[in-house]
Amino acid sequence: QVQLVESGGGWVQPGGSLRLSCAASGSIFSLDVIGWYRQAPGKQRELVAARTVGGATNYADYVKGRFAISLDNAKNTIYLELNSLKPEDTAVYYCNLYRPSWGHKNDSWGQGTQVTVSS
């Protein structure tokens, strides 16, 4: 497993933007799938965006066209750009990765970073 530390959250007004960062303690492998999740109070954690190291992406319908996931492999850092934010986007955001050799996601979640969207 690797350690994951999220940062970059905060409070923004509707329509605003944020850029979240996720620092990993080790290298991200070429076949890994990286992802961002979010969890609102009283709800289960859900997948928001996923990306292969090779560049293929997949987004939840409710964030398509607004969010963008990226990777800086040299820095072992995963990013999520959030644009046109809505109050419904308010949640704690987490990163994780799936490694084919494991057959599952990283065992440990980070503490997440809070995103609050309100006027």
Side-chain angles (χ1 to χ4, degrees), residues 36-47:
W36 281 93
Y37 300 73
R38 70 187 186 187
Q39 186 170 26
K43 297 183 179 180
Q44 293 186 334
R45 194 176 353 237
E46 61 185 5
L47 179 66

Side-chain angles (χ1 to χ4, degrees), residues 59-103:
Y59 296 92
D61 287 342
Y62 47 81
V63 305
K64 287 181 178 177
R66 300 191 297 122
F67 292 4
I69 185 171
S70 60
L71 167 69
D72 187 335
N73 199 55
K75 296 181 179 180
N76 297 325
T77 301
I78 303 162
Y79 302 97
L80 184 68
E81 183 179 339
L82 303 86
N83 301 301
S84 301
L85 283 163
K86 305 175 181 179
E88 306 90 87
D89 296 318
T90 296
V92 178
Y93 284 71
Y94 302 86
C95 63
N96 211 313
L97 61 86
Y98 171 88
R99 184 158 291 171
S101 61
W102 296 340

Side-chain angles (χ1 to χ4, degrees), residues 8 18-20 31 33 41 53 60 64 70 81-82 96-97 109-110:
L18 287 171
R19 186 172 185 251
L20 309 183
L31 297 181
V33 180
V53 173
K64 287 181 178 177
S70 60
E81 183 179 339
L82 303 86
N96 211 313
L97 61 86
W109 296 87

